Amino acid sequence: MPGPVQAIERAAAILRLLARGSGRLGVGEIAASLDLAKGTAHGILRTLHGVGFVEQDAATGKYQLGAALLHLGTSYLDVNELRSRAINWADALAARSGEAVRIGTPLEGNALVVHHVFRPDDTLQTLDVGTLLPLHATALGKVLLAYDADLAASAQRSDLPSLTRRTVVNAAALSRALAQVRENGWAGEAEEFMPGEAGIAAPIRSYGGLVVGAIGITGAADRLCDGRLRPRPELVTLVRNAARAVSRDLGAGR
Amino acid sequence: MTQRYVMSIDQGTTSTRCILFDQRARLVSVAQREQQQYFPQPGWVEQDAVEIWRNVDRIVPRALADAGISADQVMALGIANQRETTVVWDRRTGTPVGRAIVWQDVRTEELVREFERKPDADTVRDRCGLPLATYFAAPRLRWLLDSVPGLRDRAERGDVLFGTMETWLIWNLTGGIDGGLHLTDVTNASRTLLMNLATLAWDDELLSFFDIPKRMLPEIQPSTADFGHTKRVVPGLRIAAALGDQHAALFGQTCFARGETKCTYGTGSFLLMNTGRELVRSTHGLLTTIGYQLGGEPAVYALEGPIAVTGSLVQWFRDSLGLISSAPEIETLARTVQDNGGCYIVPAFSGLFAPHWHSEARGIIVGLTSYITKGHLARAVLEATGWQTREVVDAMNADSGLTASTLRVDGGMTADHLLMQFIADVLDLPVMRPIVAETVSLGAAYAAGLGVGFWPDLEGLRRNWHLAARWLPQLDASRRAAEYANWQRAVELTFGWAQPRRPV
Ligand SMILES: Nc1ncnc2c1ncn2[C@@H]1O[C@H](COP(=O)(O)OP(=O)(O)OP(=O)(O)O)[C@@H](O)[C@H]1O
Ligand SMILES: [Mg+2]
């Protein structure tokens, strides 16, 4: 096994230092306290700043602990913030695909709909933000399960209710389906939640690739899928591009 | 065939964004940068025009790179901007005279009182459609001329130029000190207190009333016109439209017919109703303004209810009180409680705009008891935006004689579902958000694209409008009435707070 990573040890020391006393230190003070070269301390601080673990005061240039540290316990992004950050790309996805768009995050063993854009055909539709969707039977839910081992384990321990004759109700089959989602980078749903309806979803990632939600489209199976109920590749591309655009705005892949 | 696009620059109060749209009005890429706000004294709000220009320099190439397209695929550029924010600069060096004075700044309050006392003060509103208030550009420009030593001389010699943000950006984009064009559009000019609403030209009486040298003013163009080609940042882009952000949003919401209305929720919020070719004078505290003017056509007028502080109250809650770490968390915090707990916040930070026009009002929080938590305060923050909307909608109904049947909304705050539901509740109307929340940018793109024939006509643009979300009223009438009465009492408490500074 490789030894400890020095840069991470140093980053931890900087965070401990900032957690003490007044909590606001300049880069020179930090370097001096930890006996680091100023350039080294600066590089680590920039990185910590990039992930939100430290903040820099605009006026004095001093560093302090960042808000992101306080939210470490709740690793999912604030859902209202997720909606705000995703709204432009969710709109564009609905406009391009011609289908309704939803964004989901996990809540108590379900997928919580945190954002919904109507199908852009001006027919009567109702906002369903706040609705809970079953994880195992929806494309949004399967994306959330695929990238969260704890969530997947508890889903597989519980009953998987059958909602249509196509719902995946067998734990082993679900496990294979989730492996496929990870392999493909997207999930499909073909009449597994509602007869006649299909969905396509992809992961929204934040710093370091952490999955914080899923974005997807739903609509009539004959529009979203080919004759063998396979999602149409051009729609899959649109969904994945939207997910990537939101992820980029959230700091993934920087 | 290569794809073609239209670019917009939205120079807003908090940030500048550059967005590319395709022919079906779908967003292709966005690049955005915030600018610093300076609050050097109570009531003063400033920005650095050079920083804003540098931000434009960064985001325009980035928007192109993100979309993977080249400048020759961009058919036109449209500019929308925060209005009334005033900058004066040296035409030889391109250097601004101090910081730009932002539309929320109330430093000119005493100056405005002096103007009010002038015998011909009554004629101002007839000529330009606006009340005398700190909100508009002319008192700021006059303040600069009075306070910066030597500035009046330089202005009279033609050495310094005045502009709002579109003028500053167009001048810089088209060459700056090397032949930059000094232009504005009718919508922006209609917010200075200096343009005659009927003739659409600088009004000599108003110039002499405010004592502003005409030489420093930009030339007024229709909203879609030839604003030149860019020579800097990304050379060769055709600037085909410029309009104030709220006018752009009216256009982006495709409110092309008389009576069509929208409200944009950003730093402040702005309700605008298209009144067609008719110049409607308000008797209920609204402004008469230009909706837009397409090149070669008569102007389309609008009635406007501006609200100074809505999104910026959320920012204050985040930055000055530190109770949340991002604006959207206000909704999370507000949802920790069931109601406002009897607490109301009236954010008269810049006095109160429509329909009250009390420059001397200042903000208050009322109804505090030990019961109140930060959750209740968060609710009161959001509710303030709802009630202020109610006030301007009531005024609009009274002025226009029409009764709104829905409200079209856009802007950053429309991501807040609790707020949108509350607005539906207090108006007792369905609230509708279109599929492009960045309607300011879309409107600037539409105007520019129309100007160069990228889009053929207004009807075609209308077909791009689709409903993305709709909130229906749920609150019962007696509760609505009781809450509105509380709000109105709270508003009255803000009046008369700021006193003229005593001579020392
Ligand atoms: N989810 C939210 N809930 C409440 N307020 C929000 C939310 N998201 C953003 N805001 C507020 O909305 C404003 C940002 O909206 P927007 O991006 O439309 O404004 P802007 O274009 O920068 O401002 P302007 O055009 O008025 O200069 C900010 O003031 C912010 O506090
Ligand atoms: Mg804006």
Side-chain angles (χ1 to χ4, degrees):
Chain A
M1 211 179 86
V5 179
Q6 192 185 35
I8 294 180
E9 287 183 332
R10 286 174 170 170
I14 289 178
L15 293 176
R16 288 210 176 91
L17 190 66
L18 288 173
R20 277 189 212 153
S22 81
R24 282 164 193 259
L25 296 172
V27 59
E29 294 165 300
I30 292 170
S33 303
L34 300 175
D35 198 17
L36 294 174
K38 207 165 154 188
T40 309
H42 186 72
I44 296 171
L45 282 164
R46 292 318 306 162
T47 307
L48 289 171
H49 188 263
V51 298
F53 281 13
V54 303
E55 285 166 8
Q56 192 176 18
D57 187 274
T60 62
K62 293 198 175 204
Y63 291 91
Q64 65 191 76
L65 293 183
L69 267 187
L70 305 175
H71 300 302
L72 261 186
T74 53
S75 68
Y76 280 89
L77 195 65
D78 179 277
V79 296
N80 295 308
E81 175 149 17
L82 177 58
R83 182 189 319 112
S84 261
R85 306 279 291 266
I87 195 166
N88 283 332
W89 298 114
D91 281 351
L93 175 59
R96 290 215 159 74
S97 65
E99 302 294 343
V101 171
R102 285 179 185 73
I103 292 178
T105 59
L107 182 75
E108 294 159 1
N110 294 287
L112 170 71
V113 176
V114 301
H115 186 43
H116 175 194
V117 184
F118 291 167
R119 189 172 59 250
D121 60 6
D122 301 319
T123 56
L124 193 65
Q125 295 164 69
T126 311
L127 274 182
D128 64 8
V129 170
T131 304
L132 296 173
L133 300 174
L135 290 169
H136 69 292
T138 57
L140 287 176
K142 282 193 263 181
V143 168
L144 299 175
L145 286 175
Y147 298 96
D148 188 330
D150 284 347
L151 201 62
S154 69
Q156 271 152 348
R157 276 195 306 273
S158 58
D159 268 359
L160 299 173
S162 165
L163 302 165
T164 70
R165 61 188 183 83
R166 293 186 190 274
T167 313
V168 179
V169 291
N170 169 291
L174 182 62
S175 174
R176 281 194 301 277
L178 298 182
Q180 192 66 52
V181 171
R182 283 188 294 271
E183 163 125 6
N184 295 342
W186 58 275
E189 153 202 342
E191 303 195 325
E192 295 157 58
F193 177 49
M194 298 243 274
E197 225 186 72
I200 304 168
I204 298 175
R205 296 175 185 275
S206 167
Y207 296 116
L210 193 69
V211 173
V212 293
I215 182 169
I217 58 175
T218 48
D222 51 10
R223 286 197 308 266
L224 263 67
C225 300
D226 65 15
R228 297 170 57 191
L229 276 184
R230 285 178 313 207
R232 294 181 195 280
E234 63 280 11
L235 291 175
V236 170
T237 305
L238 290 179
V239 171
R240 297 189 72 194
N241 286 346
R244 273 195 215 105
V246 178
S247 302
R248 202 176 338 113
D249 282 357
L250 290 177
R254 269 207 210 122
Chain B
M1 205 187 78
T2 52
Q3 284 292 325
R4 296 179 308 164
Y5 304 88
V6 173
M7 178 186 282
S8 67
I9 295 175
D10 171 10
Q11 202 302 294
T13 314
T14 40
S15 72
T16 308
R17 50 203 108 163
C18 178
I19 300 187
L20 284 158
F21 292 96
D22 66 16
Q23 196 145 15
R24 293 177 61 187
R26 298 176 304 202
L27 178 147
V28 177
S29 72
V30 191
Q32 179 169 6
R33 272 186 90 86
E34 288 204 9
Q35 71 257 10
Q36 176 106 25
Q37 310 243 29
Y38 300 89
F39 305 101
Q41 294 188 31
W44 290 35
V45 187
E46 300 180 345
Q47 290 175 4
D48 178 359
V50 174
E51 180 192 357
I52 289 173
W53 165 242
R54 262 196 237 114
N55 288 346
V56 167
D57 191 24
R58 283 191 199 154
I59 60 178
V60 171
R62 203 164 76 216
L64 286 170
D66 280 359
I69 70 173
S70 62
D72 55 15
Q73 288 172 275
V74 177
M75 304 313 291
L77 165 61
I79 299 178
N81 59 289
Q82 53 171 323
R83 308 166 302 168
E84 302 102 9
T85 296
T86 301
V87 60
V88 170
W89 68 95
D90 188 309
R91 74 174 338 142
R92 294 204 174 77
T93 62
T95 310
V97 176
R99 293 206 186 111
I101 307 179
V102 176
W103 58 273
Q104 294 159 312
D105 187 293
V106 293
R107 77 183 64 185
T108 56
E109 203 187 317
E110 281 168 53
L111 192 57
V112 167
R113 282 205 193 128
E114 282 170 34
F115 286 133
E116 276 167 355
R117 286 195 289 269
K118 291 181 67 160
D120 43 352
D122 287 348
T123 65
V124 171
R125 194 174 184 136
D126 294 339
R127 290 176 178 277
C128 68
L130 309 174
L132 275 168
T134 56
Y135 176 28
F136 308 106
R140 284 191 191 108
L141 179 50
R142 172 62 187 276
W143 185 91
L144 283 168
L145 290 166
D146 290 352
S147 347
V148 179
L151 189 62
R152 181 170 287 279
D153 286 346
R154 289 162 72 195
E156 266 151 15
R157 284 200 307 267
D159 291 345
V160 291
L161 303 176
F162 154 82
T164 40
M165 281 301 151
E166 83 297 355
T167 302
W168 165 248
L169 292 182
I170 291 168
W171 186 82
N172 275 292
L173 285 166
T174 56
I177 54 173
D178 295 323
L181 302 176
H182 190 219
L183 304 172
T184 185
D185 93 299
V186 281
T187 65
N188 277 294
S190 78
R191 319 294 298 189
T192 54
L193 285 165
L194 300 173
M195 189 187 82
N196 187 302
L197 262 191
T199 64
L200 308 182
W202 300 123
D203 183 303
D204 289 330
E205 302 288 325
L206 291 171
L207 290 174
S208 90
F209 180 91
F210 292 104
D211 196 12
I212 307 277
K214 197 171 188 171
R215 279 190 89 171
M216 70 190 308
L217 302 184
E219 190 184 316
I220 303 175
Q221 304 280 347
S223 315
T224 63
D226 177 9
F227 290 92
H229 283 75
T230 58
K231 296 214 178 95
R232 302 163 74 191
V233 181
V234 172
L237 302 176
R238 179 167 168 192
I239 310 175
L243 58 182
D245 54 5
Q246 300 311 318
H247 313 264
L250 187 73
F251 208 73
Q253 286 268 19
T254 66
C255 293
F256 303 138
R258 223 173 133 241
E260 290 185 323
T261 306
K262 67 87 202 179
C263 193
T264 303
Y265 291 90
T267 306
S269 295
F270 302 85
L271 182 78
L272 270 80
M273 176 189 277
N274 183 325
T275 61
R277 309 270 185 243
E278 189 193 356
L279 198 164
V280 178
R281 307 246 174 219
S282 173
T283 50
H284 295 87
L286 303 178
L287 312 176
T288 309
T289 195
I290 306 294
Y292 53 87
Q293 185 191 16
L294 303 178
E297 292 182 24
V300 169
Y301 290 93
L303 271 175
E304 172 176 333
I307 306 166
V309 176
T310 55
S312 55
L313 183 63
V314 177
Q315 281 176 333
W316 173 79
F317 203 75
R318 180 193 67 190
D319 300 338
S320 300
L321 299 190
L323 290 170
I324 46 177
S325 58
S326 74
E329 282 174 31
I330 192 94
E331 181 174 353
T332 313
L333 184 56
R335 284 187 191 275
T336 60
V337 293
Q338 290 306 308
D339 56 32
N340 62 20
C343 177
Y344 300 81
I345 301 181
V346 185
F349 293 4
S350 306
L352 285 171
F353 287 10
H356 307 288
W357 299 107
H358 276 273
S359 294
E360 84 306 334
R362 288 296 177 271
I364 51 161
I365 304 179
V366 284
L368 291 178
T369 58
S370 333
Y371 175 74
I372 298 299
T373 63
K374 57 186 177 177
H376 297 108
L377 291 176
R379 282 229 169 216
V381 162
L382 294 177
E383 292 186 2
T385 294
W387 291 122
Q388 292 185 101
T389 305
R390 169 72 188 264
E391 291 175 331
V392 292
V393 167
D394 283 356
M396 195 67 85
N397 287 341
D399 264 341
S400 67
L402 305 169
T403 311
S405 57
T406 57
L407 183 71
R408 291 188 186 188
V409 298
D410 55 83
M413 289 183 103
T414 58
D416 193 313
H417 281 237
L418 188 63
L419 173 62
M420 292 300 115
Q421 182 61 51
F422 188 71
I423 292 172
D425 286 342
V426 302
L427 298 180
D428 198 20
L429 292 177
V431 167
M432 315 213 290
R433 178 180 86 79
I435 202 157
V436 179
E438 296 278 1
T439 307
V440 171
S441 297
L442 183 63
Y446 275 171
L450 267 182
V452 301
F454 185 61
W455 286 297
D457 55 20
L458 298 180
E459 263 331 291
L461 298 181
R462 256 183 209 288
R463 283 193 291 274
N464 294 332
W465 195 98
H466 294 295
L467 187 64
R470 188 178 49 151
W471 293 268
L472 300 173
Q474 290 170 355
L475 192 69
D476 76 79
S478 62
R479 182 78 193 287
R480 179 184 314 119
E483 286 292 312
Y484 193 22
N486 286 343
W487 166 262
Q488 288 169 314
R489 284 194 298 140
V491 167
E492 274 167 31
L493 295 174
T494 69
F495 294 164
W497 183 257
Q499 309 251 313
R501 211 172 299 153
R502 251 176 259 128
V504 268

